[in-house]
Amino acid sequence: MLDDSDRRLLRQLQADPTQPVTDLAQAAGLPLATTYKRLERLEAQGILRGQRATIHWPALGYAVEVSLRITLDKTNPRAFDEFLAAAREVPEVVEIQTFLGRVDARLAVIARSMSHYQEIYRDRILSLPHIADIEALMHVATVKNQQTLPL
């Protein structure tokens, strides 16, 4: 599926996704036209899904980050869909993951302070449908946040 040229392109993109395509082509050792074609193919194959900005929430005043592990009451066949739809509407929920096992979902919640978090928790999180259990994990430090793969 991927050849060495594709891997070189992906390594360069992981290192600096904002670099101009001309610089990318040069760093990967490919002609510019070939680089454009390969990038289009990698996008068409769903390997490249776009670029995004990474926001450092504390720099914007969001000093509290909490991971909520949610177990749903699955006696209702629509529990997952209704919970996820409602959770998507909470602005301070910045990530939602689903799982197989005892924990059904994880919500990453940001807040400006502990009192702001308590307000979000009481007013928005506890009103989400079909919650059977919640475990809150307060974020203390990020030890590793590697966004690249060895290609």
Side-chain angles (χ1 to χ4, degrees), residues 78-144:
R78 302 257 323 128
F80 259 95
D81 294 337
E82 291 173 2
F83 170 81
L84 293 174
R88 283 186 189 101
E89 298 300 316
V90 179
E92 295 85 1
V93 172
V94 295
E95 183 179 12
I96 302 172
Q97 296 176 326
T98 60
F99 300 95
L100 295 174
R102 191 186 72 74
V103 172
D104 296 307
R106 185 188 72 82
L107 306 181
V109 179
I110 58 170
R112 295 186 184 281
S113 63
M114 281 305 295
S115 61
H116 183 222
Y117 169 72
Q118 289 173 337
E119 178 186 317
I120 295 164
Y121 185 79
R122 281 192 312 266
D123 298 345
R124 296 189 185 110
I125 301 300
L126 289 179
S127 65
L128 294 173
H130 310 293
I131 294 177
D133 188 42
I134 299 178
E135 179 183 7
L137 302 170
M138 177 67 63
H139 177 83
V140 175
T142 299
V143 177
K144 182 178 180 179

Side-chain angles (χ1 to χ4, degrees), residues 45-100:
Q45 291 175 337
I47 295 169
L48 282 179
R49 295 175 53 188
Q51 296 180 14
R52 65 176 142 179
T54 302
I55 298 170
H56 183 62
W57 295 112
L60 294 176
Y62 290 90
V64 175
E65 183 179 339
V66 179
S67 180
L68 298 175
R69 293 195 280 190
I70 310 285
T71 302
L72 298 174
D73 173 8
K74 293 174 278 295
T75 58
N76 181 329
R78 302 257 323 128
F80 259 95
D81 294 337
E82 291 173 2
F83 170 81
L84 293 174
R88 283 186 189 101
E89 298 300 316
V90 179
E92 295 85 1
V93 172
V94 295
E95 183 179 12
I96 302 172
Q97 296 176 326
T98 60
F99 300 95
L100 295 174

Side-chain angles (χ1 to χ4, degrees), residues 20-42:
V21 178
T22 54
D23 294 353
L24 178 62
Q26 183 177 2
L30 297 169
L32 186 58
T34 301
T35 299
Y36 275 112
K37 287 177 186 173
R38 284 179 177 269
L39 290 173
E40 287 175 359
R41 181 177 48 78
L42 291 170

